[in-house]
Amino acid sequence: MMLIMLPPQSQADRTEPYTNIQPFDKTNDTSVEFFFKPSTLTALVVALSVLAYVAMTNDVLEEGRDKKVLIVLGINVLYELLLVYLLFEDLSSARRFMLYFDSNLNVPLPEKSYAEDCALSVTTLWNAFDIFCVAHLLGWLGKAIILRDYWFCWILSISFELAEYSLEHQLPNFAECWWDHWVLDVLICNWLGTYLGIKICQYFEVKSYVWRGFRQSRGLKAKTGRVLKQMTPHDWTTFQWEGTSSFSHYCTVVLLLSCFLAAELNPFYLKSLLWMEPDHPIVISRLAGIFICGIPAVRELYDFRNNPSRKATRLGAHAWLLFATILTELLIIVKWSRGLYPAPTPTHVKVGWTIGSMLLVGYPTLKFGVPSARRYLRRRGRKEKKIPLKSD
């Protein structure tokens, strides 16, 4: 069998256009920049608003009803699957992975401190008002809608500022002036957002019902009001957590407070580790997603522990999945942050955490443990008196 050798000049010319093929990713931008255009961001805000409306209008979760709220559960599932994937990646691989969402990422960012000029004056206060003040206000408005308890929001607000104090040796952007912590954040932005959120809850709680249909409403104003009322929640439940009524309620409140603090602190660490700006669309989407998923999750927790009229036999899927999501974020932060925060914990922070832990343990011990022990000893003493002594 003969092999026919072609002369060199008859072989394919590698310089021809049809043979000089370049990979697609070298000639085209494969990053999804489309999602970060202004028009697309507007569509994203509208879509997230629709999902928030779905979560609020399906406030009552009954078996076999309100299937639309499963969309919210599906979003939480997808986010949890993404977190599980990132949990098994190292930090450098995760930063390269985020390039698929935004080609401008994977660039180190300088850490900003807000405690450079702490002189209290009208000028410094005015300069401190920025877009993040609006974000604080909207964030606490959302937390008030989720928790529906004025004092719970106050405790959470103060606890978060104390957490910032104790973690500023790791993240410089936690370092703020004292008036920024307690005046601008707690007394102005957080309080105003909480107040507006509670007012919204009170409106939904005591809203008047109009039994006339759309056709029976006369005039454009009446018809518009009828349409708007149709979009309000099916019903609304006021939360009364009663954290001091029993030991189980106390543990529920402490667990919920811990989850909210972790959900608040996690994005600060994640954006710092992944080199993202605070106003990046991914960061904003994460905050909005946790808010949307938190509405049915907290409702399920309340029905399971505190609601006497709708006592649930088991904790719902939204609550379990959101707890797993926050825990997975925390595990990712612990894994990626090894060796990145070498600064030792200050002594005053250790003392503060020790005192706080003692109070968390000491209060239920005195409130519930000591009275229970006394009741047990009294019952045991009465039983011993009723038992006749055996004669020798």
Side-chain angles (χ1 to χ4, degrees):
M1 183 175 183
M2 297 180 60
L3 297 177
I4 300 176
M5 302 295 295
L6 295 177
Q9 60 270 18
S10 64
Q11 295 181 2
D13 188 2
R14 297 300 178 184
T15 61
E16 292 292 332
Y18 69 92
T19 58
N20 188 20
I21 301 175
Q22 296 291 333
F24 180 80
D25 58 351
K26 291 186 178 181
T27 58
N28 298 273
D29 187 7
T30 58
S31 62
V32 286
E33 296 181 354
F34 171 76
F35 291 102
F36 301 101
K37 294 181 180 180
S39 59
T40 312
L41 289 178
T42 303
L44 177 63
V45 171
V46 173
L48 292 175
S49 301
V50 171
L51 289 175
Y53 161 74
V54 170
M56 290 179 63
T57 54
N58 292 276
D59 187 58
V60 179
L61 306 176
E62 295 180 358
E63 192 70 24
R65 197 176 75 83
D66 300 331
K67 300 298 183 181
K68 292 182 295 182
V69 81
L70 294 178
I71 300 176
V72 179
L73 185 64
I75 292 176
N76 201 346
V77 170
L78 293 177
Y79 181 57
E80 173 65 11
L81 291 176
L82 177 63
L83 291 176
V84 172
Y85 170 77
L86 293 176
L87 181 60
F88 291 91
E89 294 288 334
D90 55 23
L91 182 56
S92 59
S93 299
R95 288 169 177 169
R96 292 194 300 270
F97 173 76
M98 299 307 295
L99 292 174
Y100 288 102
F101 299 95
D102 186 0
S103 59
N104 297 321
L105 294 177
N106 200 20
V107 178
L109 298 176
E111 290 288 350
K112 182 181 179 180
S113 176
Y114 297 91
E116 297 174 355
D117 184 11
C118 291
L120 182 58
S121 62
V122 178
T123 304
T124 54
L125 284 174
W126 178 256
N127 294 332
F129 280 96
D130 52 13
I131 189 62
F132 296 106
C133 295
V134 180
H136 267 277
L137 189 149
L138 295 177
W140 282 97
L141 185 146
K143 294 182 188 69
I145 293 177
I146 294 175
L147 294 172
R148 310 178 193 178
D149 188 284
Y150 191 78
W151 292 106
F152 201 126
C153 291
W154 266 107
I155 295 173
L156 181 61
S157 177
I158 296 174
S159 300
F160 179 75
E161 299 301 326
L162 294 176
E164 281 190 328
Y165 269 120
S166 62
L167 296 174
E168 61 184 19
H169 64 283
Q170 294 184 350
L171 296 181
N173 58 358
F174 279 159
E176 299 176 351
C177 301
W178 68 267
W179 49 263
D180 200 348
H181 278 292
W182 304 110
V183 179
L184 191 61
D185 287 349
V186 175
L187 296 180
I188 298 180
C189 298
N190 297 358
W191 173 81
L192 184 58
T194 301
Y195 176 80
L196 295 177
I198 294 298
K199 285 299 180 181
I200 293 175
C201 295
Q202 292 175 354
Y203 167 76
F204 285 137
E205 179 187 0
V206 299
K207 67 175 182 178
S208 59
Y209 292 94
V210 179
W211 298 101
R212 291 178 298 174
F214 179 78
R215 294 181 179 180
Q216 287 75 26
S217 301
R218 297 181 179 180
L220 180 61
K221 182 178 180 181
K223 291 181 181 295
T224 303
R226 180 67 180 86
V227 172
L228 294 177
K229 286 182 180 296
Q230 184 67 29
M231 297 182 180
T232 56
H234 178 269
D235 73 345
W236 195 264
T237 300
T238 302
F239 290 171
Q240 297 178 359
W241 293 103
E242 299 177 351
T244 59
S245 61
S246 65
F247 180 72
S248 60
H249 286 77
Y250 175 82
C251 293
T252 301
V253 170
V254 171
L255 177 62
L256 185 60
L257 177 64
S258 303
C259 289
F260 262 82
L261 283 178
E264 286 288 307
L265 295 173
N266 285 349
F268 287 94
Y269 280 93
L270 289 176
K271 71 179 182 62
S272 175
L273 293 169
L274 295 175
W275 295 338
M276 291 184 181
E277 293 285 354
D279 57 349
H280 195 277
I282 295 179
V283 179
I284 298 175
S285 300
R286 185 269 176 194
L287 296 175
I290 292 296
F291 163 69
I292 294 172
C293 298
I295 295 175
V298 175
R299 172 61 190 268
E300 289 179 347
L301 177 63
Y302 180 78
D303 285 342
F304 179 69
R305 290 302 311 159
N306 295 68
N307 195 348
S309 61
R310 295 178 51 86
K311 188 65 174 180
T313 57
R314 57 185 175 86
L315 192 60
H318 291 273
W320 279 116
L321 187 58
L322 186 59
F323 177 76
T325 300
I326 297 174
L327 182 61
T328 307
E329 286 182 343
L330 191 59
L331 292 175
I332 291 174
I333 294 171
V334 172
K335 177 183 177 181
W336 288 352
S337 60
R338 291 177 181 175
L340 296 181
Y341 306 114
T345 304
T347 304
H348 66 276
V349 174
K350 295 180 179 179
V351 173
W353 279 101
T354 302
I355 295 175
S357 301
M358 293 175 61
L359 291 175
L360 285 176
V361 176
Y363 175 78
T365 302
L366 297 176
K367 175 70 176 180
F368 310 111
V370 174
S372 298
R374 289 177 177 176
R375 288 193 296 268
Y376 171 77
L377 294 176
R378 284 197 296 265
R379 288 195 301 267
R380 185 176 178 180
R382 286 194 295 266
K383 289 181 180 180
E384 291 179 351
K385 291 180 178 178
K386 292 181 180 179
I387 300 176
L389 298 176
K390 296 183 179 180
S391 56
D392 295 336

